[in-house]
Each structure stands twice: as C-alpha cells, then as structure tokens.
Amino acid sequence: MNSTKRIFYYDLLRAIAIIMVILVHVDGIIGYGFDSLKHAIPGLLTATTWPAVPIFLMLSGALLLNRSYTLSEFFKKRFARILYPFIFWVLVTGLIGFFSFGWSGKETLKVIFGLTSPFWYIWMLIGIYLFIPIINSFLKEYGLRGFEFFLLVWAVTIFIITVKIPLLDGINLDYFAGYMGFVVLGYYLDNKQFGLSDRSMFYAGFLLLILSTVFRMYVFRYELGLYSDYNLLFTTIAQSVGLFLAVKYLDKISVDTDNIYSKIKNNIFGKAILSISICSYGMYLVHYIIIEGFEFLNIHSLKLLPIILIITVLTSWAIVFVLSKIPYLRKISGAN
C-alpha cells in the first residue's frame, strides 16, 4: 500500500499495539505475581499492555465504519484479509507444536481454537467483522448521536461488571458489554470534535493514560478481584481512550514550526513504524509459536526478558515482511 495514502497516527497506534501484545505474552514466560521481584516486574509491565487488543479494534472501527460497500465487496476485500492468513498460520502453529514441541492432539486443538493461545482474538475478530456491516448501517442511519447512545449503554454495563455490583451478579451483561464497543469507540474518537484545542486534547489523553495505567497497576498488585476479562474493564477503556487520543493529537503539536509526525514519518524510524504496522496482523499470528519456542527451551529468566522481546518482535516482523514480498504468499502473510 502506498504510504502517502496512510494516516500515520493509525500506523503508530498499530505498531504500539502489536509490541504491547508481544510484551504481555513474553511476560507470561516469566510469570506474574508479587511474591518476588522476578514476578512483580512482568506483572506491572503487563498492566501497561491491556490497551493492545482494544486499540486494534478501535482502529478497525476508524477504518471500516461509515463506508459505502456491498456485502459481497466487504467480505471479498475485508473479511478475506483476516481469514486467509489466520487459516494458514493457525495450521502452521498447530503442526509445529504437535511435531516439534510435543503437543497432544487435545492441546493442539485448544491452541487452534484460542482456548490456550492468543488466537482467541482472531475468532472474536471474525465475529466482529461479520457484524460490522450492521453497525455500519446503524451509523449511516443515526450518525454520531446514535453512537453516543450505544457508547453510553456500553459504558454503563462495563462499569457495572468492573465494580461487580452484587444485586446484578445474576445478569449476564456480556450481551451489552462486548468487544464491539471498542469498534464503535474507535470511530467515535476518530471523528468527534470535542471543542478543545489539539494541545489540550493531547494533554488530556496523556494524563488519562498515565492515571488509568497507575490505577491498573494498583488493581493488579492488590488483586482487587475485578471482572475476569481484563479487556472488558473500565480501566482498560480509560487506558485505551487515553492512548488513542494522545497519539492522535500528538501530531498537532509543533516543534520548530513542524508537526512532530512530519519530522519522523519519512526517516528510518517512521519507515520502521509503517512497516511494523503493515506487518502487525501477521506478527500477531506468528509471534505465539516463537514464544512457545522459548517456553519449550525452558527460558524463564527476568534478565533475558528484553532480549526475548526484541528477538520475538524482530523475528515475527521479518517472517511476515519476507513472505509479503513473495508473489502468491502475500495473501497469507498477514501483511496489509
């Protein structure tokens, strides 16, 4: 894709999100807990990574909603982009795990269906994509006001399951507080005019990100017993909104008369961000088997955590990048 047609802050968010995803799974090799410094550091680092999945979904909303397309066009051009790479990489992962790491058939199936692997996100994403044309029609009919109503209901239910109101324990609010809310939220934040200056929006987003992340660390440290799905917590929404706004409005802050992003997007750092963004979906699909390789080798050293993170990021990035340059393999590489 021609980089001149891309929105840089989307690419930066996507690059940040995939590194967050890999970090949380590398942290898992060391283990979480506060019985020792070895386990406390990965635990606190993990508290910073929870916006990763929401950011991916929010970008899907910003990119896919309020578009004109037929159902056949949507499934052929958009749905196929996530489906073909997923089928390829989930089979590759299962085969490597079964024949090289000694997974049983049952363990392999659990990995494939996301019960013990990050592939749960892809199964969820498939469901999200099947529903996006419906949300798209809702947006065209009711506009941002309709989305504000949707987000209000979503936020209230997320708050209820976050604080675990006893009287409502018997009601399954997952029907109202699902992952689709992040898709709607992404489009809303991308298009809503808040009436504040760009600099004020950046500071508000940055402050929200820092405060919500510190609170998230506190929650994790003292095991306050919040809802089991950490992606569907009010703290996660706050972190995700803060990160999204901070990265979006950072572009509006000038340094030496030039916007910050205009200074970096055409240098080697900016080109790396663009490449990671393009390869991010494939990296998500590939990185798990690389981490499982470290697990198979019984590497659990805290000192090696940065090295494992760098190796996993660079290796998954390189695999997807190389495959994307080979004719007929780009469709299954996960690069887009």
Side-chain angles (χ1 to χ4, degrees):
M1 182 178 292
N2 190 337
S3 61
T4 61
K5 296 181 180 179
R6 300 180 72 97
I7 297 175
F8 186 75
Y9 94 79
Y10 287 179
D11 288 316
L12 180 55
L13 278 170
R14 197 177 287 111
I16 292 171
I18 188 58
I19 292 173
M20 281 181 166
V21 165
I22 294 175
L23 174 59
V24 72
H25 295 141
V26 169
D27 284 343
I29 296 177
I30 311 302
Y32 312 129
F34 294 90
D35 56 323
S36 66
L37 182 64
K38 176 182 178 180
H39 292 153
I41 291 177
L44 293 176
L45 285 174
T46 294
T48 70
T49 65
W50 289 115
V53 164
I55 288 295
F56 280 132
L57 294 174
M58 291 163 75
L59 288 171
S60 293
L63 286 164
L64 299 178
L65 293 178
N66 202 20
R67 300 288 189 268
S68 296
Y69 44 69
T70 65
L71 284 177
S72 60
E73 288 174 339
F74 176 80
F75 287 115
K76 184 178 180 179
K77 294 182 179 179
R78 300 292 183 178
F79 190 67
R81 287 184 182 180
I82 68 166
L83 190 61
Y84 295 152
F86 173 55
I87 293 173
F88 174 77
W89 284 114
V90 78
L91 291 176
V92 168
T93 299
L95 290 172
I96 292 175
F98 185 80
F99 289 106
S100 299
F101 298 158
W103 294 350
S104 67
K106 186 176 181 179
E107 288 173 325
T108 302
L109 288 175
K110 284 184 176 181
V111 167
I112 289 174
F113 288 103
L115 299 177
T116 57
S117 74
F119 292 135
W120 71 267
Y121 166 72
I122 312 300
W123 289 106
M124 179 269 293
L125 187 63
I126 289 172
I128 291 288
Y129 266 60
L130 290 173
F131 204 72
I132 276 181
I134 300 172
I135 294 295
N136 193 54
S137 297
F138 179 86
L139 173 61
K140 287 181 173 294
E141 179 71 22
Y142 296 105
L144 282 180
R145 293 292 293 176
F147 268 20
E148 287 173 348
F149 172 75
F150 183 105
L151 290 171
L152 176 62
V153 174
W154 183 64
V156 169
T157 55
I158 288 286
F159 179 78
I160 291 173
I161 63 176
T162 297
V163 299
K164 288 188 173 181
I165 296 177
L167 292 176
L168 300 178
D169 275 350
I171 302 175
N172 186 356
L173 293 174
D174 289 350
Y175 295 120
F176 301 95
Y179 284 90
M180 182 58 75
F182 288 114
V183 178
V184 174
L185 180 62
Y187 177 86
Y188 183 78
L189 293 179
D190 192 46
N191 291 274
K192 175 69 174 178
Q193 300 298 318
F194 291 96
L196 297 175
S197 69
D198 294 336
R199 186 177 291 270
S200 296
M201 289 301 299
F202 165 74
Y203 287 131
F206 183 74
L207 183 62
L208 179 61
L209 173 62
I210 296 300
L211 293 178
S212 57
T213 299
V214 170
F215 182 69
R216 189 56 178 272
M217 289 180 175
Y218 177 83
V219 169
F220 197 90
R221 166 64 180 88
Y222 292 100
E223 299 177 354
L224 298 186
L226 299 181
Y227 186 57
S228 59
D229 190 337
Y230 289 123
N231 290 302
L232 295 177
L233 288 177
F234 213 79
T235 50
T236 304
I237 295 177
Q239 286 179 286
S240 305
V241 170
L243 179 59
F244 193 98
L245 292 178
V247 172
K248 175 182 177 181
Y249 286 97
L250 179 62
D251 190 30
K252 310 298 183 181
I253 297 178
S254 297
V255 176
D256 298 330
T257 72
D258 289 327
N259 289 343
I260 290 177
Y261 291 163
S262 66
K263 283 179 168 292
I264 66 173
K265 65 182 180 181
N266 292 319
N267 63 25
I268 188 170
F269 182 64
K271 291 177 180 178
I273 290 173
L274 173 61
S275 181
I276 292 175
S277 173
I278 291 172
C279 296
S280 61
Y281 180 58
M283 291 171 66
Y284 188 98
L285 295 170
V286 173
H287 82 279
Y288 175 71
I289 197 63
I290 298 172
I291 291 176
E292 282 298 296
F294 287 110
E295 184 73 38
F296 182 73
L297 295 173
N298 199 30
I299 298 175
H300 300 97
S301 170
L302 177 61
K303 294 179 180 179
L304 293 178
L305 190 151
I307 297 174
I308 296 172
L309 175 64
I310 292 170
I311 291 174
T312 305
V313 169
L314 293 180
T315 303
S316 58
W317 179 14
I319 290 171
V320 178
F321 179 82
V322 170
L323 288 180
S324 71
K325 302 302 180 182
I326 301 175
Y328 305 109
L329 293 184
R330 181 177 176 83
K331 286 186 176 181
I332 54 87
S333 69
N336 55 64

